[in-house]
Amino acid sequence: MKRTLEQQVHDEDAEQLAVFAKALGHPTRIAILNYLEKQSCCYTGDLVEVIPLAQSTISQHLKELKNAGLIQGELNPPRIKYCVNKENWKKAKTLFKVFFDQHMEPRANTRRSLV
């Protein structure tokens, strides 16, 4: 069965949203992004000073965020300078907004319940 271009784009957006969601699925990564948004750029050592975790742990979280495309790193030997990937961060915010807007609208004849 052939898929329409609209379906293909939707699938790509859903896959990208899942990648972003997975990367944001840990409180340390949220803290890193919050810090980077306020600082414009920083080095791993800067993060170790504000997040009480081992450098190797922070490096793993940076790797996950970088693999998801939410941050980017610039090699300044012997260190790496990290920044928010503004283009992908904007895309992530848009995809999450669209997702939540679509799924949070009240439905007619549907009773909301927590049980």
Side-chain angles (χ1 to χ4, degrees), residues 1 8 21 29 32 36 45 54 64 73 86 89 96 100 103 105 110-111:
M1 174 162 82
Q8 291 172 6
R29 294 184 206 133
I32 289 169
L36 284 175
E64 291 293 325
K86 292 181 194 263
W89 185 235
F96 277 110
F100 287 120
H103 297 285
E105 295 176 6
T110 302
R111 192 170 74 169

Side-chain angles (χ1 to χ4, degrees), residues 67-107:
N67 287 343
L70 292 172
I71 65 171
Q72 54 197 21
E74 179 183 316
L75 188 60
N76 288 340
R79 306 182 315 171
I80 300 175
K81 181 168 66 172
Y82 290 98
C83 307
V84 171
N85 182 322
K86 292 181 194 263
E87 183 179 326
N88 284 345
W89 185 235
K90 181 179 177 182
K91 183 175 184 178
K93 289 193 270 187
T94 299
L95 289 173
F96 277 110
K97 182 179 181 342
V98 168
F99 175 79
F100 287 120
D101 286 350
Q102 288 175 352
H103 297 285
M104 295 303 290
E105 295 176 6
R107 294 190 176 126

